[in-house]
Amino acid sequence: MAQQGRIIVLIPTSDASGLESRVNSRFARAPFFTVVSVDGGVPSDVRSLPNPSAGAAGGAGPMAVQRAAELGVSVILAPSMGPNAVGAAEAMGIRAYLVPAGITVREALEAFLRGQLQPVASAGPGAGGGWGRGRGMGMGRGRGMGIGGGRGRGRRKWGQGQGSWGY
């Protein structure tokens, strides 16, 4: 993938060692993002930044993509991305490609620039779950088996009659 002009690439990393940082296995929960400016196929500016979404209680994927957009990123290289993160990246016009976890940032960039990486699969419509995704597969067999056990014995007041169940 011979790149012309300037692009900014974000890679989730385990530490802040620049081009020698190792790609973290998690995109949105990685401790650091290594952001690399690539001019005419040559890395020119390398920054390692703490990932503000690493400790988020929820919604870390879209938060991480939002941070990438704020940094002017046009490409994300990651081992995997959740459907919400993929959907957010697509909505923001950020391309995402798969790289193996554990390789260095330098190796990931080289593979990207040679066109050896596969794009992350599209989130597609309705990805990410949420409310309203149930399929209504119940068979309606609840039968209302409360205290009376469905035997017509639930007319007495609680605690009256025989035994502790009110029979």
Side-chain angles (χ1 to χ4, degrees), residues 27-28 59-67 84-85 88 92:
F27 165 64
M63 286 172 51
V65 173
Q66 177 63 41
R67 179 67 177 138
N84 291 336
M92 294 181 191

Side-chain angles (χ1 to χ4, degrees), residues 30-112:
F32 294 92
F33 288 144
T34 299
V35 180
V36 183
S37 295
V38 179
D39 293 311
V42 178
S44 60
D45 181 36
V46 181
R47 296 177 287 159
S48 292
L49 307 169
N51 175 5
S53 65
M63 286 172 51
V65 173
Q66 177 63 41
R67 179 67 177 138
E70 291 167 1
L71 294 168
V73 168
S74 55
V75 174
I76 294 172
L77 305 181
S80 66
M81 291 175 70
N84 291 336
V86 172
E90 288 175 349
M92 294 181 191
I94 299 173
R95 295 173 292 152
Y97 296 89
L98 297 172
V99 295
I103 66 172
T104 65
V105 168
R106 183 184 313 278
E107 292 167 333
L109 282 172
E110 289 171 356
F112 170 68

